[in-house]
Amino acid sequence: EGSEAGPSHARRLLEGEGVTVSFEVVPAAQLDIDDAIEREDTMFMNVTVRRSVNLFEPCSVMWATSDGNGSATAIEGVDFAVASGTVVFPAYESTALLVIEVFAGTGYSETDKIFFVTLGTAVNGTVQDAQALITIQNVQAPPPPAPTS
């Protein structure tokens, strides 16, 4: 007879002894990241990562900034700092804050600039919303009109 292991084997053994056993499967934490918008002159962008469903066990998730392979209008190292890391959620914590440096514009731009923060591999969790759209609001005044003679 082969060796058995796991909840179903334990249940059969204990129920055979007249003991009622129930097992509850605790689902993995669900992880999401919020979009964010901030003025370019604030120097730092706050991005919130949220955890729901299972708050009882610690979990972690990797993250990184990117310009979306050209789909963003902000440029890594020019408009925002290249950054990455791991968010660690201790038991019972439901939010974590990422702080990403943004650089003030050097001239007038008619449009806001965007980039992304993406969640990657999670431990004791499942990523639901993996990408945040980060908007750096332009605050530079347009240049004055050219003088007319």
Side-chain angles (χ1 to χ4, degrees):
E1 178 176 318
S3 68
E4 297 182 66
S8 60
H9 178 66
R11 181 185 308 246
R12 283 195 309 274
L13 289 175
L14 292 171
E15 287 176 345
E17 299 294 320
V19 177
T20 302
V21 178
S22 65
F23 294 95
E24 181 179 339
V25 176
V26 179
Q30 292 182 0
L31 301 163
D32 301 285
I33 189 166
D34 293 346
D35 294 341
I37 186 168
E38 194 65 68
R39 293 168 45 105
E40 68 182 350
D41 59 354
T42 59
M43 295 179 54
F44 295 98
M45 179 74 65
N46 294 320
V47 181
T48 303
V49 180
R50 299 185 186 281
R51 174 173 72 155
S52 60
V53 179
N54 178 351
L55 302 180
F56 308 111
E57 297 178 318
C59 74
S60 63
V61 62
M62 297 172 71
W63 65 274
T65 59
S66 74
D67 62 8
N69 295 321
S71 63
T73 55
I75 301 168
E76 288 180 322
V78 174
D79 298 306
F80 65 95
V82 176
S84 62
T86 301
V87 174
V88 178
F89 287 93
Y92 303 103
E93 289 291 324
S94 61
T95 60
L97 192 64
L98 305 177
V99 180
I100 300 163
E101 186 176 9
V102 294
F103 308 124
T106 56
Y108 177 69
S109 169
E110 293 183 13
T111 61
D112 297 338
K113 295 182 179 180
I114 61 169
F115 67 97
F116 303 97
V117 178
T118 304
L119 298 180
T121 304
V123 175
N124 289 336
T126 302
V127 175
Q128 299 296 310
D129 179 7
Q131 192 169 70
L133 175 70
I134 310 302
T135 303
I136 305 170
Q137 287 183 313
N138 176 55
V139 295
Q140 301 289 330
T148 57
S149 34

